Amino acid sequence: MGNKSIALLLATTSAVFFVFGALIGVYVIEENKNGFVTLNIKPLLIDEISAEKISANLKHLTSVPHVAGTEQDLLQAEWVRNRFLESGLDEAHTVPYDVLLSYPRHGVVNTVQLIDEKNQANFTTAGRQPPLGTPQDSYDKVLMNFNAYSGNGIVEGNIVYAYYGRDVDYEELQKRGVNITGHVVLVRYGAIFRGSKVVIAAKWGAIGVILFTDPKDKAKEGRNFTFPDSWWLPGMGVESGSLYVVDGDPLTPAYPAIESAFRLKEEEQANLPRIPVQPIGYDEAEILLRSMSCENPAPPEWVGLLDTNYCLGPKPLNPDWKVRINVSTTNEMRRTYNTIGILRGSVEEDRYVLLGNHRDAWTFGALDPSSGTASMIEVVRALGHIKNNNNWRPRRTMVFCSWGAEEFGLIGSYEWTQQFAKVLSQRAVAYLNVDVAVGGNQTLRGSAYPMLKKLLIESSKLVPNPNAAEIAAGRKTVFDTWAKNSPDANNPGQPAVGNMGGGSDFAPFAYVLGAPTTDFGYTAPSSYPTYHTLYDNYQLASEIVDRGFVHHQAVARMWAISAADLADATILPFDIKSYAAFLNDSLTALEDKYDEQLQQNNATFKYFRASVDSFSKATNDFSEKTLDTINVEDPLEVRRVNDRLVQLERFFIDPKGLPDRPETNHIVFSVSANNAYGSDTFAGLVDLLFEVGNKTEAQDSVTWNKIRQHLSVIAFLIGEAARSLSDNLW
């Protein structure tokens, strides 16, 4: 062998060892003291997570309807458990709860009718959605159109069109001389939670509610271009959904619905609706609108795209005609199931990183929620594959949660967190929720507590862009498209990460336990039009919304690497300085709006401001003097620092709850009192200031006393959160 050959061999050998060494540097860091290899598993997860396997998961999940409390609910809970165990999780269990659920009475159709002067039905709604796509749309287990927990019975009256059914809409009706009392209101879906619409309607005196979706909101390209030709809602599509405005099992408030639980009687639960409510298709709503006299036309902004005049009512076009609602929906005790899987940690087994998604749906639920369920099963499979093939375990325990009965009011997640609240309050690191993984294919959307916003953004930078056109335009990652389509107005070049709202299973973790939470998924500018209808099926997902399941794959990758960051990082990746900035900005906004009013009524932001300033200083000191100088080789020091990071969010929890809202405990973030889908910052204070309006202390001393008391609570808890980061007792 000549010198040149030897030199070439040495160079080749060196190159091979260099590449091998580089791969070791990427994937293998060290072997920990428990004998498990410590890996940077993020690139492995990117490679392993499969779009094809997500598609197969979704096809199975959408093969039958799976409403909570039915036989299919149990079968799917067990199927998910078996997938968890097959993937290599250490444990997987189905956890049952006996709770109050709600269903249309078997064999009886809920109807809305136009009754003429002879008491004859001139028109009757169909009560079911016609099959338009796959043969399974005709499956005999598909329920009739209904709203869960509706009041029962028959009511008759004239129709009042109330737009979105908000307080502001009823105030507008009142200004126009329309009295709601004793009438049936026709209300469009949208703007606020459907259950809030019913509460508001009853407060204004309505005897019944008819809900419909206007094509202006969900058929924007015309009534001839709807599912199955597009994703737009067809005229007989009907959105089902719960009307219960409080979360968890209605009969065991604040405590888990386990065998030993004390249960209220149904009539003792004041938050259950008392008036009949029925959803209908917009083809049917058009007929009802045509039956109304138009002496009182609707405001221009209330006019939709139906082929009729939009009139306020209540006078009918034909004298003595009325509308009749006949609802026989019944509330029943049923058993529902969570499926919980566990991958035990190798170092901090008693610290839990939780991932969750609900499993139940009103029919097939391809996008809501099965896009998330199918993705979570694939995340578990990928993690199990890495564990089984690399002698790897996460540093912290990972818990995978498939919730039951979310659609009825977050019941599965609330009952589980209530049952294990004491343990979770000590051990939960964070909860990552993906309800609808793919509700559109335009861009990512994300919401998070301030400490986790940076985690979402950094994770999105690692995930390849699923959109070929975006890649061609130079946007190679999920982050790039997110930042372009949803920019943060205050941080150029960054995507907007919203605050947590309501309506999904992060709520008990966020607002009751005080665990940092996120919720994210791919989306379009508005929610997908066939939401909660028969037409949310596999055909919609595979042929219209996400061909190739590449957006599902992107969300699963982001979910997995975000969880891996939390589970494997020596020091938890919590951005506490961003929390301080958020509190400062939120308080400044309150001061600008209310400071003068408070001073005029012997109240002050003084102590609130002092506590926020103290929190800002504490987070800066902790970041610079503790996090930047920590000895990561000292396990006790690492544990001490991480414990403070884990517990920080808990300091914003008031065990007594917000003023007049004892079930809501987080002083900074809360579900809106007037819209269960929305959120308010410092909601307890904002609610009180809204309630007091322009009244002075002399005119409403009770509310002003509540304001002063709550201001003191806010100042105290934020101050204690600041103190928690210090070594000192005081």
Side-chain angles (χ1 to χ4, degrees):
M1 183 179 291
N3 290 337
K4 288 184 178 179
S5 298
I6 293 172
L8 180 61
L9 177 62
L10 289 172
T12 303
T13 304
S14 297
V16 169
F17 277 104
F18 176 80
V19 171
F20 184 67
L23 289 173
I24 291 175
V26 170
Y27 295 117
V28 182
I29 301 172
E30 63 182 357
E31 186 175 285
N32 66 36
K33 64 180 64 178
N34 295 321
F36 294 101
V37 173
T38 301
L39 297 174
N40 174 14
I41 67 168
K42 295 177 188 177
L44 295 175
L45 287 166
I46 294 290
D47 291 342
E48 182 63 28
I49 289 173
S50 163
E52 291 76 15
K53 287 184 169 62
I54 295 173
S55 172
N57 292 338
L58 189 69
K59 193 164 190 178
H60 176 85
L61 289 163
T62 57
S63 60
V64 294
H66 43 284
V67 180
T70 64
E71 178 186 4
Q72 292 73 32
D73 181 25
L74 172 58
L75 291 174
Q76 287 213 349
E78 292 174 336
W79 185 82
V80 171
R81 180 198 63 201
N82 292 340
R83 301 292 79 71
F84 283 176
L85 292 173
E86 287 173 3
S87 296
L89 295 191
D90 299 300
E91 300 175 41
H93 308 274
T94 53
V95 185
Y97 295 100
D98 294 317
V99 297
L100 186 72
L101 301 180
S102 182
Y103 308 91
R105 184 167 294 167
H106 182 70
V108 180
V109 180
N110 294 339
T111 60
V112 176
Q113 297 178 311
L114 285 174
I115 304 300
D116 63 22
E117 66 278 2
K118 297 180 180 178
N119 202 35
Q120 299 296 311
N122 188 273
F123 164 73
T124 302
T125 54
R128 65 164 63 242
Q129 300 168 82
L132 297 176
T134 59
Q136 66 208 60
D137 291 355
S138 301
Y139 198 92
D140 62 1
K141 299 291 185 182
V142 173
L143 299 180
M144 300 290 185
N145 301 336
F146 82 114
N147 284 119
Y149 302 113
S150 167
N152 225 328
I154 300 173
V155 296
E156 292 184 5
N158 293 327
I159 303 172
V160 172
Y161 171 51
Y163 197 28
Y164 288 119
R166 303 163 295 187
D167 271 310
V168 66
D169 301 326
Y170 289 103
E171 290 165 3
E172 181 64 27
L173 287 167
Q174 190 175 54
K175 289 177 187 175
R176 292 170 179 261
V178 179
N179 183 5
I180 310 302
T181 302
H183 298 308
V184 170
V185 289
L186 179 65
V187 177
R188 277 162 64 168
Y189 271 119
I192 63 174
F193 174 57
R194 74 187 73 81
S196 301
K197 296 174 188 284
V198 177
V199 171
I200 294 169
K203 180 180 71 175
W204 283 84
I207 60 172
V209 179
I210 304 167
L211 295 169
F212 79 103
T213 302
D214 197 283
K216 188 174 183 178
D217 299 315
K218 296 294 178 71
K220 295 183 179 180
E221 295 186 49
R223 293 164 70 176
N224 294 321
F225 187 57
T226 60
F227 185 84
D229 300 316
S230 74
W231 80 336
W232 298 110
L233 182 68
M236 291 299 287
V238 174
E239 177 185 324
S240 295
S242 176
L243 304 176
Y244 187 51
V245 294
V246 179
D247 295 322
D249 173 36
L251 303 187
T252 58
Y255 295 96
I258 56 180
E259 186 177 359
S260 61
F262 171 80
R263 287 175 168 80
L264 300 175
K265 295 178 181 177
E266 188 177 331
E267 58 270 19
E268 295 173 331
Q269 175 48 268
N271 292 300
L272 289 172
R274 305 302 180 196
I275 62 176
V277 182
Q278 180 62 16
I280 64 174
Y282 61 74
D283 283 353
E284 297 170 319
E286 185 174 70
I287 294 171
L288 298 183
L289 283 167
R290 286 175 178 171
S291 75
M292 299 168 64
S293 169
C294 225
E295 295 175 6
N296 205 352
E301 63 272 20
W302 291 26
V303 175
L305 292 181
L306 293 174
D307 185 19
T308 180
N309 293 322
Y310 283 71
C311 312
L312 299 180
K315 185 177 179 181
L317 187 63
N318 295 303
D320 300 322
W321 280 38
K322 295 188 180 299
V323 67
R324 176 187 293 163
I325 304 176
N326 188 343
V327 172
S328 57
T329 296
T330 59
N331 301 335
E332 303 175 23
M333 291 296 298
R334 293 276 187 102
R335 178 164 289 184
T336 191
Y337 302 85
N338 296 331
T339 297
I340 308 296
I342 297 173
L343 177 58
R344 286 193 290 272
S346 61
V347 179
E348 298 180 70
E349 190 176 348
D350 63 336
R351 291 294 179 263
Y352 309 148
V353 175
L354 301 107
L355 294 77
N357 156 268
H358 75 93
R359 189 185 60 258
D360 65 304
W362 293 113
T363 48
F364 303 107
L367 302 187
D368 181 13
S370 298
S371 64
T373 309
S375 299
M376 182 166 64
I377 292 169
E378 176 59 6
V379 168
V380 170
R381 188 202 63 79
L383 287 166
H385 177 83
I386 294 169
K387 175 183 78 77
N388 294 337
N389 288 276
N390 297 280
N391 191 35
W392 166 86
R393 278 187 179 274
R395 177 185 180 92
R396 301 176 185 89
T397 294
M398 303 178 81
V399 182
F400 303 91
C401 310
S402 175
W403 307 117
E406 185 269 359
E407 295 291 7
F408 286 84
L410 318 185
I411 288 176
S413 56
Y414 257 88
E415 300 315 303
W416 193 76
T417 53
Q418 287 169 350
Q419 184 174 3
F420 300 104
K422 298 298 184 182
V423 171
L424 292 170
S425 66
Q426 295 297 315
R427 300 180 184 176
V429 172
Y431 173 71
L432 308 182
N433 192 68
V434 173
D435 189 324
V436 179
V438 178
N441 52 30
Q442 183 186 57
T443 188
L444 193 79
R445 56 100 191 136
S447 300
Y449 270 5
M451 287 198 292
L452 292 183
K453 289 186 178 184
K454 184 177 180 180
L455 175 74
L456 279 192
I457 290 171
E458 294 304 313
S459 297
S460 72
K461 293 177 180 178
L462 301 178
V463 179
N465 201 319
N467 187 319
E470 288 291 290
I471 295 173
R475 292 180 284 275
K476 296 182 179 180
T477 67
V478 166
F479 169 86
D480 296 328
T481 297
W482 187 15
K484 172 184 175 288
N485 290 334
S486 183
D488 185 338
N490 299 316
N491 295 287
Q494 297 293 309
V497 183
N499 297 326
M500 303 306 292
S504 192
D505 292 300
F506 55 77
F509 291 92
Y511 305 131
V512 181
L513 293 179
T517 61
T518 71
D519 183 74
F520 56 92
Y522 251 82
T523 190
S526 59
S527 66
Y528 68 97
T530 56
Y531 168 79
H532 282 195
T533 72
L534 177 67
Y535 313 115
D536 184 3
N537 56 23
Y538 184 78
Q539 180 181 355
L540 174 77
S542 62
E543 298 180 18
I544 298 174
V545 176
D546 192 18
R547 291 180 179 271
F549 284 83
V550 291
H551 296 86
H552 285 75
Q553 183 185 43
V555 172
R557 285 168 164 174
M558 184 164 163
W559 204 358
I561 62 177
S562 297
D565 223 357
L566 290 164
D568 269 349
T570 304
I571 302 299
L572 290 168
F574 286 170
D575 186 7
I576 61 175
K577 293 174 75 172
S578 287
Y579 213 138
F582 177 84
L583 292 180
N584 181 71
D585 292 345
S586 299
L587 174 54
T588 299
L590 288 172
E591 289 171 328
D592 290 345
K593 187 172 184 179
Y594 295 112
D595 188 52
E596 183 178 350
Q597 184 183 12
L598 261 63
Q599 291 187 44
Q600 291 172 351
N601 291 280
N602 297 311
T604 180
F605 282 120
K606 174 183 175 181
Y607 302 106
F608 191 167
R609 169 54 67 187
S611 69
V612 169
D613 292 344
S614 175
F615 187 80
S616 296
K617 182 179 185 305
T619 56
N620 280 328
D621 289 348
F622 190 78
S623 297
E624 296 168 7
K625 298 176 183 178
T626 301
L627 294 180
D628 291 349
T629 61
I630 186 173
N631 177 11
V632 295
E633 301 301 323
D634 183 343
L636 291 178
E637 179 66 8
V638 168
R639 181 72 170 207
R640 182 178 73 87
V641 168
N642 280 336
D643 281 354
R644 292 187 187 184
L645 291 171
V646 165
Q647 290 299 317
L648 183 61
E649 193 76 56
R650 273 56 153 191
F651 279 86
F652 301 120
I653 295 295
D654 183 356
K656 293 185 178 297
L658 301 185
D660 303 319
R661 295 171 66 185
E663 76 284 352
T664 303
N665 304 86
H666 202 294
I667 62 160
V668 181
F669 297 102
S670 174
V671 177
S672 170
N674 298 307
N675 175 15
Y677 284 158
S679 66
D680 288 322
T681 305
F682 296 111
L685 181 61
V686 171
D687 288 346
L688 290 171
L689 289 166
F690 177 81
E691 181 183 339
V692 82
N694 295 321
K695 289 179 282 190
T696 66
E697 182 183 16
Q699 294 168 320
D700 190 353
S701 61
V702 172
T703 304
W704 276 108
N705 267 334
K706 290 181 181 179
I707 290 170
R708 281 189 287 271
Q709 181 184 30
H710 193 53
L711 281 166
S712 74
V713 170
I714 292 171
F716 170 71
L717 292 178
I718 294 176
E720 289 303 291
R723 196 189 316 277
S724 75
L725 295 172
S726 168
D727 289 327
N728 300 320
L729 179 59
W730 56 73

